[in-house]
Amino acid sequence: MISPEVRQLLESARALLPQETEWDVMNSVPTGHAGPVDATVPDAYREYLGLANGGIFSNMVLFDAGYAAGNQFLADPVDGAPVTLGRQDWFCLGKIYEDPVFLKRADGTVWGFPDQGIIWWQSDVFEKWADNLDTFLRETVFGPGFRTVTGAEDEDPWWQVLREMGRVSR
């Protein structure tokens, strides 16, 4: 379930972005998707899509309703990969740079491959980043965890938005 805090954060970001053209170029918090969403999309992400139809947060992208279902090939197993995925167990909700971010269907946890200078599917490091989507949104997309998973510098446009929103300090 998406918390009232996340709903407020989405609204606050939307209100802030149009005022600052430089931030708006690399960031987008669209309004919610009102149409049907593919049945393969997990309920938690379906709820998020009703509030924001995806989003661009500098180098982090959350897929919109039309793109999410079509990009689940990222959850397909890759021969020889150290981490075995599969669409029945994992839902790809977006990317950080070129590295996919996954929601585990069984328990709703959010996972990703930290950037280690290698192609994500060749990595043997696959980490749980949040206990649920709401926590991922509050603490990573809209919090200090953003810098942890993206390696954002102080000049990063979304990091600047987060500072302006009072979500992070230097």
Side-chain angles (χ1 to χ4, degrees):
M1 181 169 164
I2 304 296
S3 67
E5 181 181 0
V6 168
R7 294 170 191 263
Q8 181 58 47
L9 290 169
L10 291 166
E11 290 301 321
S12 295
R14 279 189 199 111
L16 183 62
L17 288 175
Q19 300 171 23
E20 195 51 64
T21 306
E22 194 171 309
W23 292 341
D24 196 27
V25 171
M26 290 291 296
N27 302 292
S28 172
V29 184
T31 58
H33 178 74
V37 177
D38 190 276
T40 62
V41 175
D43 290 343
Y45 201 68
R46 182 185 311 265
E47 183 181 1
Y48 169 75
L49 291 172
L51 300 171
N53 192 17
I56 300 171
F57 312 96
S58 187
N59 296 311
M60 179 187 297
V61 174
L62 298 183
F63 295 148
D64 66 24
Y67 202 70
N71 279 285
Q72 293 312 302
F73 67 88
L74 292 163
D76 289 342
V78 176
D79 288 338
V83 175
T84 302
L85 300 167
R87 293 183 197 203
Q88 70 282 0
D89 297 322
W90 299 95
F91 173 78
C92 183
L93 58 93
K95 294 171 107 182
I96 298 172
Y97 297 100
E98 293 301 315
D99 301 336
V101 179
F102 294 98
L103 187 137
K104 188 174 184 180
R105 291 181 184 275
D107 62 9
T109 54
V110 178
W111 293 69
F113 292 91
D115 185 22
Q116 297 183 314
I118 60 174
I119 299 170
W120 66 271
W121 59 266
Q122 294 175 339
S123 178
D124 62 352
V125 182
F126 188 49
E127 300 175 338
K128 182 170 93 169
W129 287 344
D131 289 335
N132 54 56
L133 181 60
D134 187 77
T135 300
F136 178 75
L137 293 168
R138 282 185 291 109
E139 296 178 7
T140 305
V141 177
F142 285 98
F146 178 80
R147 182 173 259 176
T148 303
V149 301
T150 66
E153 302 285 333
D154 284 341
E155 300 79 28
D156 181 272
W158 186 248
W159 190 253
Q160 292 177 24
V161 169
L162 294 178
R163 281 203 323 252
E164 184 69 21
M165 291 174 67
R167 298 293 296 170
V168 298
S169 57
R170 285 217 86 141

